[in-house]
Amino acid sequence: MIKKSENALHKGSGKLHWYHWLVVVLSLVLTLSAWQVTSRLADQKSQIQFDFQSDLLVELVKERMLKYEDALWAGVAAIHSQNKVVNTKTWNAFANALSIEEKYPGINGIGVIDYVAPDKLDDYLEEQRQLRPDYQIYPTHDKNEYWPITHIEPVKLNKKAVGLDMAHEKNRHTASIKARDTASAQITGPIILVQDAKKTPGFLFFAPYYQFVQPPNSIPLRRASFIANVYAPFIMENLMRGTLKNENRLVNFKISDGEDLLYDELKPNSEGYDVSPLFSKTFEVDMYGRSWTFEMQSTILFRHQVSNDQPMMILIGGISIDIMLLILFIVLARSNKKAILYAGEMTRELKVSEKKLTTTINSMRDILITIDNSNKILSFNKAAEIALGLKESDVIGQDISVVPDPNLVTSDSVEKHYLNVKGKHTYEEKKVINVANKEGRLLPIDLTITKASSNSTNYYIVLIRDLSNEVKIEKALESSEALLDTAVNASSTGFAILNLNLEFIELNKSICSWLSFNRSDLIDENFNKILSNEGSLIINDMIKNMLKRKQSSIHVESQFINKNGSYIWGLLTAALVIDKNNVISNIVIHIVDIQKEKELLQNLIQQNKALEKSNADLEQFAYIASHDLKSPLNAIQQLAHWIEEDCEKVLPEESKNHLSLMIGRSSRMIRLLDDLLNYSRVSRYEYKYEALELKHLVSDQFSLIDKPDEFTCISSNSYLLIPRVPFEIIIRNILSNAVKHHDKDKGLIEIKFNKTDTDQIITVTDDGPGIPPEMHKKVLEMFQTLKPRDDVEGSGMGLALAKRIINHYNGDLSIESDGVRGTSFIIRWPLPNQ
């Protein structure tokens, strides 16, 4: 049977058989398929690159806007930390500390936009003109409110914006209101900044602040407690120049807000502009209450970078290989009979050896392939069939080229195939190379090739161990390490790793830059090298406790030593690195620069001390002035009474009138001193809120007033939450004022109570002569009366004292009167939780 087969082979020698042509045709088809696939992959890779660059550009814009938002909230926090009204000096100090021109490129400045109600306009202008006499609000408009730019730094660049009223223009006004009502940062629609001489598109960025550090939960409460917006103006061109320099960029873009163009690089004169871009796309991005449309186009540089000749090289190389295969088949077909008979003999001997090894080979978990000296596959075990996706019947007797090798470039010969055994030594081992199965899936393997012989015939045993799981674990670890390394080195705060001897084994650029050290100055050095003496004692004790598992982490402020010997404040956080065996391996530290915060805190402490001393001095002065002035006034009054008693029958009537006038005016001066002392002490004490019965409290205070018998006072029987002593002073002064200024001996005073979600409303109404509307504001000022002081006893400070007490508790006192008959004093007092 074998003889007949050999004769048939001999007859067929010298010409190409159908399977030779089949291999050539299949190889050509494979070449064309590879060319088409690589062309498609190149296009997909370019698309992915363009999408990545586009998304990266948008993320850079968002990140920069978030950084600007942080600057605005820093302004809000700085105002709250002042706990007093911000003026041009304090705002200038904050802006200088913020270093906006250095740290926030693209920003045009940072300022404050106050909300001013119409009835507060005069007070607001008077306050601002104390430091800036020429301060004005402009332009005029028909809105019933004002949103002027009170402060802006740097003033030199933004001088034209000082006093500009946001209410005059729709986009500015709408964004201002939206920031107030949402308690979140907002930007305006496109505007032209008054300080921009080029009149290019820009916008304003707002962050609201309120009377309280935490914004109220509802819109009505936010509107009631709203004070102002911290804002920053932006010229779009400057913002983009500071955020994204158009140098060697792969993507150009255009930004629009609705139909308004904000920024445009899609112009022929733009750097890198491509007349026929390879890729383009448009999408919407929500940007602080506005919808920005980004139009992206690839650049000329992008076209150059993604150009790829690989598909054409694959096509040319594949056709070359097909030609070589055809030549090889022709040469093989013309081989002599002796070579065919020799191959048959070798095949028979190999089959004998194969039978001996079949059971062992097929039971192995590792891939086992045997190959002869001519790279023909002799055996192919079950593990190889499963892993490589090839059947034993398809590869036995075939050249190793039937097994895919992803590491071969098309122009390389089969001599570089990973299964090539020609010229191999007795033993050869390769660690972790990639091979491919029939479907093209890559498998990492450990390859061992051992030379063996049987009946003086050499062959090679190829042992392959699949390392997919091991490589997957290694890649995951490498990815995690790379991600951690990138995050640590990209961090703007200090990061380092210490061994258990507190020596630096790793640290990022930020900590070196912060302390002016080179990395080589600190690696392998002890952590105490950068600690102050006091900080070293405290932190080392904490680390010892942490190593003893007495505490899990460290969070402490300390001074650190700069390379030049100076001290810098930092916030240190430290934690242990514990392995899976619960053994401490390292210590991770994280340091945040808080030097400026410490300097600001120290400055605030010094200002508070100075303010406390000033308040104490003022109170001491008020007490001394009151005591030293009241003593001679009491003596003058006493002397006048003695003269009046001793000379009652001697003095003429006119002298008696003069003496009575002197006694009255000295009494008025004593009352004035007492009222001045009370007025100066309004903000010195804080009284607790109590639940009081309004009717009972009013009755008590009305009984203390000197009044005609025909005067009556009625009050609603309501309960209110209010500090007792300050409220008694207010009610007593308002009731006394109503009695003193009444034009009749009979009168009625009525007190009503109402409550809203945020306020308690107390209305005191009398039936005396009204107060003209033009005098409503004036009578609430110090030393103001509607009648001559000789006609009405009083200092003219009662209503001013009442208003100051109410304002101290964030309330308000207003007047309603037609100026003819009757006056209502309306007290708005916030509820305790407001």
Side-chain angles (χ1 to χ4, degrees):
M1 188 71 182
I2 295 173
K3 197 76 172 176
K4 291 181 180 180
S5 177
E6 290 175 353
N7 290 333
L9 287 172
H10 182 66
K11 287 181 180 181
S13 63
K15 63 179 180 180
L16 296 179
H17 295 278
W18 64 269
Y19 49 82
H20 293 133
W21 290 109
L22 179 62
V23 170
V24 172
V25 171
L26 290 177
S27 178
L28 182 60
V29 171
L30 182 62
T31 298
L32 294 175
S33 299
W35 169 68
Q36 186 177 14
V37 169
T38 52
S39 297
R40 186 166 61 252
L41 288 176
D43 290 340
Q44 290 176 354
K45 182 179 178 181
S46 300
Q47 180 68 57
I48 291 171
Q49 174 73 353
F50 173 76
D51 291 340
F52 171 78
Q53 292 293 332
S54 299
D55 294 341
L56 178 62
L57 186 145
V58 173
E59 288 303 318
L60 287 173
V61 174
K62 287 184 177 179
E63 180 183 2
R64 183 52 59 93
M65 291 298 292
L66 184 60
K67 185 175 182 181
Y68 295 146
E69 182 188 0
D70 290 342
L72 297 181
W73 290 121
V76 172
I79 293 172
H80 279 299
S81 67
Q82 291 279 340
N83 200 22
K84 63 180 182 180
V85 176
V86 175
N87 57 38
T88 54
K89 294 181 179 178
T90 57
W91 190 251
N92 176 261
F94 163 74
N96 289 337
L98 195 61
S99 304
I100 58 172
E101 294 178 342
E102 177 183 347
K103 294 185 177 180
Y104 302 91
I107 196 171
N108 226 53
I110 189 166
V112 177
I113 299 174
D114 282 306
Y115 169 74
V116 182
D119 59 337
K120 304 292 185 181
L121 181 60
D122 292 339
D123 292 342
Y124 169 83
L125 290 174
E126 181 179 352
E127 179 183 348
Q128 298 307 317
R129 288 169 181 171
Q130 291 178 1
L131 293 177
R132 297 174 292 180
D134 58 344
Y135 179 81
Q136 295 289 340
I137 295 178
Y138 76 98
T140 58
H141 55 78
D142 57 355
K143 302 289 190 306
N144 194 27
E145 57 184 4
Y146 302 89
W147 298 73
I149 296 175
T150 305
H151 309 293
I152 179 67
E153 292 291 338
V155 176
K156 186 176 181 181
L157 296 177
N158 300 279
K159 188 174 182 181
K160 290 185 178 180
V162 177
L164 181 69
D165 193 342
M166 299 296 101
H168 88 280
E169 190 267 332
K170 181 179 179 181
N171 283 347
R172 291 176 171 89
H173 192 208
T174 301
S176 299
I177 293 174
K178 190 173 182 181
R180 176 195 66 187
D181 291 349
T182 61
S184 62
Q186 298 289 323
I187 64 173
T188 67
I191 61 171
I192 302 298
L193 302 185
V194 296
Q195 59 267 48
D196 182 16
K198 296 181 179 179
K199 304 300 180 184
T200 57
F203 63 93
L204 304 181
F205 202 173
F206 298 126
Y209 71 91
Y210 305 84
Q211 294 175 1
F212 315 103
V213 175
Q214 292 297 329
N217 294 327
S218 67
I219 292 178
L221 296 184
R222 290 171 185 162
R223 291 176 177 175
S225 61
F226 177 74
I227 297 176
N229 283 322
V230 174
Y231 93 108
F234 292 88
I235 297 172
M236 199 68 187
E237 184 177 342
N238 295 345
L239 172 62
M240 291 298 107
R241 190 183 303 117
T243 304
L244 302 164
K245 293 184 178 180
N246 193 354
E247 296 178 1
N248 299 324
R249 262 207 272 117
L250 301 180
V251 176
N252 281 353
F253 65 100
K254 179 169 70 174
I255 303 177
S256 303
D257 185 331
E259 297 182 355
D260 296 317
L261 179 64
L262 296 177
Y263 182 74
D264 189 7
E265 289 181 352
L266 307 184
K267 299 181 293 187
N269 60 347
S270 296
E271 183 172 345
Y273 177 77
D274 193 348
V275 178
S276 300
L278 295 177
F279 300 99
S280 64
K281 69 176 181 178
T282 301
F283 53 91
E284 301 287 329
V285 176
D286 182 39
M287 193 68 67
Y288 294 96
R290 303 294 301 180
S291 180
W292 284 5
T293 302
F294 282 76
E295 295 183 39
M296 304 293 185
Q297 287 186 2
S298 58
T299 63
I300 290 293
L301 181 60
F302 182 94
R303 181 187 294 275
H304 293 331
Q305 286 196 4
V306 301
S307 60
N308 192 346
D309 297 329
Q310 186 179 18
M312 186 56 65
M313 292 296 294
I314 289 174
L315 181 61
I316 295 172
I319 293 174
S320 300
I321 290 175
D322 292 339
I323 294 173
M324 292 172 66
L325 280 173
L326 184 60
I327 295 172
L328 178 62
F329 289 155
I330 293 172
V331 172
L332 290 175
R334 293 177 180 177
S335 299
N336 56 38
K337 296 179 181 180
K338 186 177 180 179
I340 296 174
L341 293 173
Y342 180 76
E345 185 67 26
M346 290 294 296
T347 302
R348 283 193 298 274
E349 291 183 7
L350 287 173
K351 286 182 179 179
V352 173
S353 300
E354 181 182 8
K355 290 179 180 179
K356 298 177 182 179
L357 297 173
T358 299
T359 303
T360 303
I361 291 173
N362 287 328
S363 64
M364 295 177 62
R365 296 181 61 183
D366 291 337
I367 299 171
L368 182 68
I369 304 172
T370 56
I371 304 173
D372 67 10
N373 285 325
S374 59
N375 280 333
K376 300 291 184 181
I377 297 175
L378 304 177
S379 68
F380 205 72
N381 72 346
K382 293 294 184 183
E385 289 184 336
I386 294 171
L388 300 178
L390 298 170
K391 291 184 178 181
E392 182 182 21
S393 59
D394 294 334
V395 298
I396 294 299
Q398 297 295 321
D399 190 82
I400 59 171
S401 60
V402 299
V403 180
D405 185 353
N407 299 305
L408 283 182
V409 182
T410 55
S411 60
D412 291 336
S413 69
V414 76
E415 293 177 358
K416 294 186 178 180
H417 196 287
Y418 74 94
L419 292 179
N420 176 42
V421 297
K422 290 185 177 180
K424 298 295 182 184
H425 300 291
T426 304
Y427 178 83
E428 184 171 317
E429 184 176 2
K430 293 182 180 179
K431 292 289 186 180
V432 191
I433 64 173
N434 287 317
V435 301
N437 61 11
K438 189 174 182 181
E439 288 74 27
R441 183 169 66 88
L442 293 180
L443 300 173
I445 65 165
D446 186 347
L447 174 68
T448 302
I449 300 177
T450 305
K451 189 175 183 179
S453 63
S454 176
N455 297 325
S456 301
T457 302
N458 295 327
Y459 65 96
Y460 293 86
I461 301 171
V462 179
L463 187 64
I464 298 175
R465 176 163 294 174
D466 186 355
L467 300 177
S468 297
N469 290 334
E470 291 86 342
V471 170
K472 187 182 295 183
I473 293 172
E474 289 178 2
K475 285 185 176 179
L477 289 174
E478 289 175 359
S479 177
S480 298
E481 290 175 0
L483 183 62
L484 178 61
D485 185 62
T486 301
V488 167
N489 285 306
S491 174
S492 60
T493 56
F495 179 88
I497 301 176
L498 310 178
N499 60 23
L500 298 187
N501 295 324
L502 304 189
E503 296 169 340
F504 287 103
I505 60 175
E506 189 55 70
L507 65 164
N508 67 352
K509 295 179 181 178
S510 295
I511 196 170
C512 296
S513 175
W514 181 50
L515 296 176
S516 302
F517 282 102
N518 294 322
R519 188 175 184 275
S520 59
D521 296 334
L522 295 178
I523 287 294
D524 297 330
E525 292 290 333
N526 195 280
F527 179 49
N528 289 287
K529 181 175 182 177
I530 65 171
L531 293 176
S532 65
N533 292 335
E534 182 180 352
S536 177
L537 294 174
I538 296 172
I539 293 172
N540 277 284
D541 285 343
M542 289 183 171
I543 292 177
K544 289 178 181 178
N545 289 334
M546 193 165 59
L547 293 173
K548 293 177 181 178
R549 308 291 180 96
K550 293 182 178 179
Q551 62 187 90
S552 60
S553 62
I554 296 174
H555 193 76
V556 63
E557 294 180 358
S558 178
Q559 284 187 311
F560 295 82
I561 303 175
N562 193 287
K563 187 175 183 180
N564 61 16
S566 61
Y567 290 92
I568 308 173
W569 277 99
L571 176 61
L572 169 70
T573 302
L576 299 175
V577 178
I578 302 175
D579 63 19
K580 62 181 180 180
N581 297 319
N582 201 30
V583 176
I584 300 172
S585 58
N586 297 106
I587 302 170
V588 176
I589 66 170
H590 183 265
I591 306 175
V592 178
D593 182 6
I594 59 170
Q595 180 66 26
K596 289 189 177 180
E597 289 82 347
K598 279 289 185 181
E599 292 173 354
L600 287 173
L601 179 61
Q602 189 63 34
N603 187 31
L604 286 174
I605 291 172
Q606 293 175 354
Q607 291 180 3
N608 286 338
K609 287 181 179 179
L611 184 60
E612 289 173 0
K613 183 178 184 304
S614 175
N615 289 338
D617 292 343
L618 285 173
E619 187 169 351
Q620 183 67 18
F621 171 77
Y623 174 78
I624 293 172
S626 174
H627 180 272
D628 291 351
L629 290 175
K630 283 173 66 177
S631 295
L633 284 173
N634 285 329
I636 292 171
Q637 191 177 50
Q638 187 64 39
L639 287 172
H641 280 297
W642 289 346
I643 293 171
E644 186 178 37
E645 292 175 2
D646 295 342
C647 304
E648 181 179 3
K649 297 180 181 180
V650 178
L651 291 173
E653 194 63 32
E654 184 178 359
S655 296
K656 290 180 180 180
N657 291 336
H658 291 165
L659 192 60
S660 177
L661 184 62
M662 182 176 69
I663 293 171
R665 291 186 176 177
S666 61
S667 298
R668 186 194 309 153
M669 182 62 80
I670 292 171
R671 283 194 298 274
L672 176 61
L673 290 172
D674 290 336
D675 289 345
L676 276 172
L677 187 59
N678 289 332
Y679 189 85
S680 67
R681 289 177 173 173
V682 166
S683 59
R684 301 290 187 270
Y685 308 102
E686 292 293 336
Y687 296 91
K688 294 183 179 179
Y689 277 73
E690 302 178 40
L692 304 176
E693 185 182 1
L694 180 62
K695 185 174 183 179
H696 180 71
L697 184 145
V698 169
S699 177
D700 287 346
Q701 297 306 310
F702 190 65
S703 65
L704 299 176
I705 299 172
D706 185 16
K707 57 188 177 298
D709 295 337
E710 298 297 323
F711 260 87
T712 58
C713 179
I714 60 176
S715 173
S716 61
N717 191 14
S718 305
Y719 283 90
L720 62 159
L721 287 173
I722 210 159
R724 176 186 291 275
V725 174
F727 189 66
E728 286 178 345
I729 295 172
I730 294 166
I731 288 295
R732 188 164 59 249
N733 275 283
I734 293 177
L735 293 176
S736 176
N737 192 73
V739 172
K740 287 189 296 186
H741 290 83
H742 207 286
D743 57 349
K744 298 179 181 179
D745 293 333
K746 181 179 180 181
L748 172 65
I749 303 174
E750 185 177 4
I751 300 178
K752 295 180 180 179
F753 176 78
N754 191 17
K755 186 166 71 173
T756 67
D757 292 339
T758 59
D759 298 309
Q760 304 168 95
I761 312 297
I762 303 99
T763 304
V764 182
T765 304
D766 64 58
D767 59 355
I771 301 175
E774 64 271 14
M775 298 297 291
H776 288 181
K777 183 177 179 181
K778 190 173 184 66
V779 297
L780 296 177
E781 298 175 358
M782 292 177 62
F783 311 122
Q784 300 297 324
T785 62
L786 296 177
K787 293 183 180 182
R789 289 195 174 91
D790 290 335
D791 295 344
V792 177
E793 288 297 333
S795 63
M797 290 186 61
L799 292 179
L801 177 60
K803 180 176 176 60
R804 185 174 184 191
I805 293 173
I806 294 169
N807 289 346
H808 176 67
Y809 287 93
N810 295 321
D812 186 50
L813 176 63
S814 59
I815 299 174
E816 287 186 1
S817 176
D818 58 4
V820 179
R821 176 59 58 180
T823 301
S824 292
F825 290 89
I826 302 168
I827 302 169
R828 181 186 61 79
W829 199 293
L831 289 167
N833 60 350
Q834 299 302 316

